[in-house]
Amino acid sequence: LNVLLPNSHDGWWIYKYYPPSVAAAETTWSARSRLLEELLLIADADIICLQECCAASFESDFSFLQRAGYAASLLGKGRMRPATLWKTSRFALCDAAGAPAPPPPETPPHETTTDAEGPAAAGHDGGGAADAEECEWAALPATRGAAVTQGDRTLITTLHLLGEDGSPRGTPPLFVVNCHLTAGQEARRRLSQVHDALDRVRKQRAKA
């Protein structure tokens, strides 16, 4: 799915992913968002992990997933961010011990500044159909204690499985690690990203 992301406010380089035979209109976010929506809704997954998401328009660009019954968490910094989504009919946020997480803040803050990868593109190619709608859905920032934490381009979301009546089933918590591995000659950093995320999970669980 990386050829369909990032979403609308970024991704000037997307044209490089397509051969010259593909019309320019098919590389815009308007076209890519329709394909992404179709693919994700057909998959009907309980948990979705996305990467290279632009925070500035995340809620509106992916509001179709909110309408389909998903909640979301989003890395709290950086230009291209991992985002984790889950069906609220199947899972709910919890801490490392499995206790329900507190209610989310009314307006989660999203940083729109850039990271070391460079400045965000200022242009907008029109976005998806949801851009015109007032979107009340908000992705949870990675600042919610043990429920949603972050590392080096790594988002950890802790969930518990719900029964048919909507109450926790009493199973151990599920730690969803969504890691955007560093590209290029960065083998040590990639290893560190994975190791540190798993070690964070281990420590959280040990303290629970």
Side-chain angles (χ1 to χ4, degrees):
L1 296 180
N2 270 12
V3 296
L4 302 179
L5 287 169
N7 44 302
S8 57
H9 284 286
D10 211 339
W12 62 266
W13 61 87
I14 289 294
Y15 74 93
K16 298 180 181 181
Y17 295 167
Y18 297 85
S21 58
V22 176
E26 295 303 312
T27 71
T28 64
W29 173 243
S30 297
R32 290 183 285 116
S33 65
R34 290 193 293 271
L35 292 174
L36 193 61
E37 178 175 354
E38 179 181 352
L39 287 170
L40 292 178
L41 294 183
I42 288 176
D44 194 30
D46 289 343
I47 297 174
I48 298 172
C49 291
L50 300 175
Q51 297 175 2
E52 298 191 358
C53 294
C54 174
S57 59
F58 179 85
E59 284 85 5
S60 59
D61 289 343
F62 293 98
S63 61
F64 66 88
L65 290 174
Q66 183 266 339
R67 293 192 293 273
Y70 290 88
S73 59
L74 183 68
L75 193 73
K77 61 181 180 179
R79 180 183 181 185
M80 298 285 95
R81 310 185 189 186
T84 299
L85 304 101
W86 61 94
K87 282 187 177 180
T88 57
S89 62
R90 296 278 291 150
F91 294 96
L93 283 174
C94 67
D95 63 20
E106 292 185 2
T107 308
H110 286 318
E111 299 176 11
T112 56
T113 55
T114 61
D115 62 10
E117 295 179 14
H124 190 291
D125 65 18
D131 285 353
E133 302 175 4
E134 181 179 353
C135 182
E136 298 180 353
W137 185 48
L140 301 174
T143 56
R144 296 190 20 89
V148 183
T149 57
Q150 65 185 25
D152 180 10
R153 306 205 326 178
T154 304
L155 179 68
I156 303 173
T157 306
T158 311
L159 305 168
H160 57 198
L161 185 64
L162 302 178
E164 293 183 1
D165 61 354
S167 61
R169 294 184 58 178
T171 56
L174 173 66
F175 294 86
V176 181
V177 179
N178 187 349
C179 181
H180 184 181
L181 292 173
T182 304
Q185 302 298 316
E186 296 281 355
R188 269 184 197 278
R189 185 178 173 186
R190 287 193 290 273
L191 179 61
S192 178
Q193 286 177 279
V194 175
H195 175 274
D196 291 350
L198 295 178
D199 195 47
R200 183 187 294 268
V201 170
R202 180 187 64 80
K203 290 177 179 178
Q204 289 182 4
R205 187 60 176 158
K207 291 180 180 178

